[in-house]
Amino acid sequence: YGAVPIVTLNGGLADNFNNENAIVIDDKGLPDAIKRAAELYLNDDLMAAKRKVCMEQDFSWATRKVKYIELYEKE
């Protein structure tokens, strides 16, 4: 609870995550993402701010279903 995810932006993850609410693995690879996560962990203020952004995200079906319905109604 309150963990900041390390993600690659593929599939559904690309719909839900970005550099504000996760640590995104970019072209520098996983080792760089782990390094950034460690640096974030060592900075209490930045870590608290990132956790706050993460915890404010609503990934429930209630917020997602509208986009899916709109997508299928276009067809």
Side-chain angles (χ1 to χ4, degrees):
Y1 186 76
V4 178
I6 297 176
V7 300
T8 57
L9 297 181
N10 58 10
L13 296 176
D15 295 338
N16 296 311
F17 293 101
N18 56 50
N19 284 314
E20 290 189 19
N21 63 5
I23 297 170
V24 177
I25 300 172
D26 57 18
D27 59 343
K28 294 179 185 172
L30 181 60
D32 181 69
I34 293 170
K35 179 182 173 190
R36 288 183 280 133
E39 290 169 353
L40 177 66
Y41 181 79
L42 293 174
N43 186 319
D44 291 338
D45 293 336
L46 288 177
M47 185 66 175
K50 179 80 93 170
R51 277 187 175 141
K52 184 176 186 309
V53 170
C54 290
M55 298 303 291
E56 290 174 345
Q57 303 296 301
D58 182 358
F59 297 115
S60 71
W61 180 244
T63 61
R64 303 297 170 183
K65 68 182 175 184
V66 173
K67 291 180 181 178
Y68 283 103
I69 291 170
E70 289 173 356
L71 175 68
Y72 289 111
E73 286 179 346
K74 287 181 183 179
E75 297 296 315

